[in-house]
Amino acid sequence: NMYRQDVAIDPQERSHIAKINATAAKFAIAASSFEQARSYVDTGMQLLGDNRWKEEYYLSLQLYEMSASISCFNGDMGGMSICLHEVISNVHSFEDSLTTSGLLAMLLAASMKNQEAISNCLFILSSLGEEFPEDLNLATALNELALVQTTLANITVDKLKLLPAMTDKTKLNA
């Protein structure tokens, strides 16, 4: 990461270097090198400047989601919250918000806001067309789980492999 703030760089080059930093951050995250990933993400966000969400929407989304994830891995719930709220304030579509919504559920659960986390997850599932009972409780969940186990009891792994693959890209991303 060799970006220097004191050197003037044209906007197209800044965007290119920010993309390189995003790619490097992905590799650093995959290698569990979160300190290095943080450096790449922060540099990428800095390079995009104040109009990042208008000029480089998808790159901004990617960098902020990675930043929230890194904050989560490092136990920085405050930093995670700031990144998530930045994305929520600028996201264009439900599909674009799925990763952030999942991270928000993790943040809420980690903050002992379990009911809010559950509500967040149920909202996401409902938006994807998956309905759950309003009065969801442990007894209902256990009954439904038993029903699923009974249904699947005589189905082999080979039979499951013969089922058609899911093609709904939104649900696959969720």
Side-chain angles (χ1 to χ4, degrees):
N1 194 354
M2 300 178 8
Y3 164 69
R4 289 183 41 199
Q5 280 184 302
D6 59 338
V7 177
I9 304 173
D10 70 78
Q12 190 172 1
E13 185 67 16
R14 292 173 78 83
S15 175
H16 179 70
I17 296 170
K19 289 174 186 170
I20 292 170
N21 274 271
T23 301
K26 284 182 193 176
F27 284 110
I29 290 169
S32 298
S33 182
F34 303 121
E35 186 175 321
Q36 189 64 52
R38 166 63 61 213
S39 174
Y40 290 130
V41 166
D42 288 349
T43 300
M45 290 190 306
Q46 223 175 17
L47 281 161
L48 293 181
D50 294 336
N51 291 324
R52 63 179 62 100
W53 290 102
K54 290 180 180 152
E55 295 171 2
E56 288 285 351
Y57 173 78
Y58 288 105
L59 182 56
S60 297
L61 181 64
Q62 181 182 39
L63 287 166
Y64 272 89
E65 287 175 344
M66 283 193 287
S67 183
S69 296
I70 294 164
S71 293
C72 180
F73 298 143
N74 290 332
D76 177 11
M77 297 302 131
M80 184 180 183
S81 179
I82 290 168
C83 291
L84 295 177
H85 288 291
E86 176 75 12
V87 173
I88 291 166
S89 298
N90 291 285
V91 76
H92 290 174
S93 68
F94 172 74
E95 289 79 10
D96 290 349
S97 73
L98 285 171
T99 299
T100 298
S101 295
L103 289 168
L104 179 58
M106 290 172 53
L107 174 64
L108 292 168
S111 302
M112 305 304 281
K113 297 178 180 177
N114 296 329
Q115 195 54 50
E116 286 181 59
I118 291 168
S119 295
N120 180 61
C121 291
L122 290 173
F123 171 76
I124 295 166
L125 290 169
S126 175
S127 297
L128 292 168
E130 304 299 326
E131 296 302 322
F132 286 81
E134 290 286 327
D135 60 339
L136 187 62
N137 56 43
L138 183 58
T140 304
L142 291 174
N143 284 336
E144 291 296 322
L145 182 58
L147 179 62
V148 170
Q149 288 174 327
T150 302
T151 304
L152 294 176
N154 296 320
I155 299 176
T156 65
V157 172
D158 289 332
K159 284 184 182 178
L160 288 175
K161 288 180 182 178
L162 294 174
L163 292 172
M166 182 185 290
T167 58
D168 185 324
K169 291 191 184 295
T170 303
K171 288 185 179 182
L172 283 168
N173 288 334

